[in-house]
Amino acid sequence: MKDINMKKLLTALTLTAVTSTVVNAAGYGVVDLERVVENSTYLKQQNSSFQQKIQPQSTKLDQLGKELQDLQQRLQTGDKLSDAEKQKLVAQYQTKLKEFNALQQTMQSSVQSSIQQVRSVFDTRVKQVAEQLRKENQLDVVLNKNSALAYDAKYDLTDKMIQKVNAIK
């Protein structure tokens, strides 16, 4: 009976040692994706380019907003205006408001489209670099730092990720 228990114990210890070895052999790395985003030259360039692209439309929206406020104020304080003058101001207001709304909608669509395009390109770059880092470091998995409850800082690949993502042209 002692021999059977001893064999079970040795088998259990052997399995535990093998399992422990397999678990420890599994390599992982972590990346702080927030830092990657914050330090991305691609995202900074795209943002700058986009700001320049929409600047004329944004300026036009500001101008139309001021004109709408002026027309509204003139209508509210225009006790001495004739009915014809009031109708003319109302027509101008409605025309400006339609122009304002159309431009605002166009800008909103442009912004959404640009964000989707940039996000798609950036996601592809991050995944490409994550796979490259995984292979270079012989890892089984690369995790988002924010998904890990705890990890050893020596497995942090964030700086390498930033460098490689920024190197893609």
Side-chain angles (χ1 to χ4, degrees):
M1 187 116 172
K2 281 186 175 182
D3 285 338
I4 294 174
N5 286 337
M6 189 63 120
K7 285 183 182 179
K8 285 183 182 179
L9 181 60
L10 285 174
T11 303
L13 287 174
T14 303
L15 285 175
T16 303
V18 169
T19 304
S20 175
T21 303
V22 169
V23 170
N24 289 335
Y28 71 93
V30 293
V31 174
D32 185 344
L33 287 179
E34 288 180 34
R35 274 191 47 221
V36 174
V37 168
E38 290 170 3
N39 291 289
S40 168
T41 54
Y42 169 75
L43 292 178
K44 288 175 185 175
Q45 289 167 346
Q46 293 301 309
N47 185 47
S48 176
S49 173
F50 183 72
Q51 292 298 327
Q52 290 175 356
K53 177 183 169 186
I54 66 166
Q55 183 60 43
Q57 294 171 320
S58 182
T59 300
K60 181 67 174 173
L61 270 180
D62 290 343
Q63 177 190 346
L64 286 170
K66 289 176 185 173
E67 290 174 12
L68 285 167
Q69 285 178 339
D70 290 344
L71 287 169
Q72 190 174 29
Q73 187 175 10
R74 285 176 52 196
L75 281 166
Q76 289 173 348
T77 60
D79 295 336
K80 299 175 186 173
L81 295 174
S82 69
D83 285 344
E85 291 172 321
K86 285 181 183 179
Q87 286 179 344
K88 184 178 177 182
L89 287 176
V90 167
Q92 287 176 348
Y93 183 85
Q94 289 175 342
T95 301
K96 296 274 183 201
L97 185 59
K98 285 180 184 177
E99 185 181 356
F100 180 88
N101 288 335
L103 183 57
Q104 189 176 39
Q105 189 173 10
T106 300
M107 279 186 64
Q108 194 171 26
S109 293
S110 177
V111 167
Q112 288 174 344
S113 175
S114 292
I115 287 172
Q116 287 174 345
Q117 180 183 2
V118 168
R119 179 178 284 158
S120 176
V121 169
F122 187 71
D123 284 351
T124 300
R125 288 179 178 194
V126 167
K127 287 174 184 175
Q128 176 186 351
V129 170
E131 180 62 19
Q132 183 181 6
L133 286 171
R134 187 189 70 75
K135 287 178 180 176
E136 286 175 1
N137 293 284
Q138 299 175 350
L139 303 173
D140 294 320
V141 66
V142 175
L143 303 170
N144 181 351
K145 173 184 169 186
N146 296 328
S147 298
L149 296 175
Y151 66 91
D152 190 329
K154 70 182 178 186
Y155 297 111
D156 191 331
L157 302 171
T158 305
D159 292 334
K160 289 179 183 177
M161 172 74 83
I162 292 168
Q163 183 181 19
K164 289 181 178 282
V165 167
N166 286 343
I168 297 174
K169 298 295 175 199

